[in-house]
Amino acid sequence: MEQTFSETSIVGEIVTKFPKASDLFKRYRIDFCCGGNRPLIEAINERKLSAEEVITTLNKLYDETMALNESRIEWEHASFRELIDYIMNKHHRFLHEELTLLSPYVTKVLRVHGADQPHLAQIHRLYHELRIELEQHLIKEETEDFPLLLELEHQPTVETVSQLKKIVDELEQEHSHAGALLKELRAVTNDFTPPEGACGTYRLVYQRLEHLESDLFEHIHLENNVLFKRAITQYA
């Protein structure tokens, strides 16, 4: 089976193509920022690592991530369980990982460049406000709201039906606020365009923020326009 990345792949180009590679490189202490313009094998040898282990792990992570992104179900025929499982396995899983992993990079860019670029303080504030809100939102969905929707599908009661509209209204309001924060982040970052000469970490933050926006928009679409809409249509 042909691998996406090999010994001759350039470290910085790997992270550009596959931003989550930065987490793996961080774990192996491979420099993808200042030392990113060199073949992967040079970075591996410098760290005295196993080339087979690093390259195999990198390609496995890439293949798993791509397979997850390409997963599809027929929304109009899917059950609530199928929709919720898909949302949790793809979008909730992504947010649980990415919100934590991206945070130190956002802080590092502010610490290193914030004195000369004050807009980075605004990015830091908006990102961490978004992170806190989303983490609370995910917990609420997973522990309260999704279980109620599943109960509604299998055994609707007067009580669960009466709760449905209130829950959907609350979740959609939370989605709207998260979307507003993302719009602010896009504006502050000039459409996630790093300034000329920005270092690798700076560019990485902008790229991952844009990926976060893209994933969250798909996530919100599936909940608002598919899952919630169907629940309201069937039961409210």
Side-chain angles (χ1 to χ4, degrees), residues 1-4 59 63:
M1 181 177 177
E2 185 177 350
Q3 294 185 320
T4 303
N59 281 289
D63 290 341

Side-chain angles (χ1 to χ4, degrees), residues 4-168:
T4 303
F5 305 112
S6 67
E7 293 184 351
T8 58
S9 299
I10 304 301
V11 173
E13 293 175 0
I14 294 172
V15 176
T16 297
K17 178 181 178 67
F18 181 42
K20 280 182 71 67
S22 59
D23 300 317
L24 184 66
F25 289 163
K26 186 177 180 182
R27 192 170 83 212
Y28 283 122
R29 296 177 62 190
I30 289 175
D31 181 6
F32 58 86
C33 183
C34 299
N37 191 28
R38 57 178 173 168
L40 178 57
I41 190 62
E42 288 187 16
I44 290 172
N45 290 339
E46 180 182 81
R47 297 292 308 143
K48 296 182 172 58
L49 300 169
S50 163
E52 181 180 2
E53 176 189 339
V54 173
I55 294 170
T56 299
T57 302
L58 173 63
N59 281 289
K60 182 181 178 183
L61 180 62
Y62 178 81
D63 290 341
E64 289 175 348
T65 302
M66 293 303 104
L68 191 62
N69 288 343
E70 291 170 3
S71 176
R72 293 291 183 270
I73 58 179
E74 295 181 9
W75 307 125
E76 65 274 20
H77 303 302
S79 66
F80 285 5
R81 167 58 70 188
E82 289 172 314
L83 284 164
I84 288 171
D85 283 349
Y86 180 89
I87 289 166
M88 290 183 62
N89 290 333
K90 184 176 191 292
H91 299 295
H92 282 216
R93 177 183 173 185
F94 168 76
L95 286 174
H96 282 307
E97 294 179 356
E98 185 68 2
L99 291 172
T100 298
L101 293 171
L102 181 53
S103 184
Y105 295 123
V106 175
T107 299
K108 179 180 179 181
V109 169
L110 172 61
R111 187 175 65 248
V112 174
H113 302 286
D116 299 324
Q117 301 182 47
H119 75 283
L120 292 173
Q122 190 174 0
I123 293 172
H124 187 272
R125 177 186 62 79
L126 288 168
Y127 174 77
H128 285 91
E129 181 180 350
L130 179 66
R131 176 185 172 182
I132 290 169
E133 291 200 7
L134 287 176
E135 287 175 340
Q136 294 173 346
H137 178 81
L138 295 181
I139 291 171
K140 183 173 179 292
E141 281 192 334
E142 292 170 9
T143 62
E144 299 177 22
D145 303 327
F146 286 171
L148 184 135
L149 286 172
L150 293 173
E151 182 183 349
L152 190 68
E153 182 176 41
H154 293 291
Q155 192 173 0
T157 65
V158 174
E159 182 181 0
T160 54
V161 170
S162 67
Q163 289 178 285
L164 176 63
K165 185 67 166 61
K166 178 176 180 292
I167 284 173
V168 168

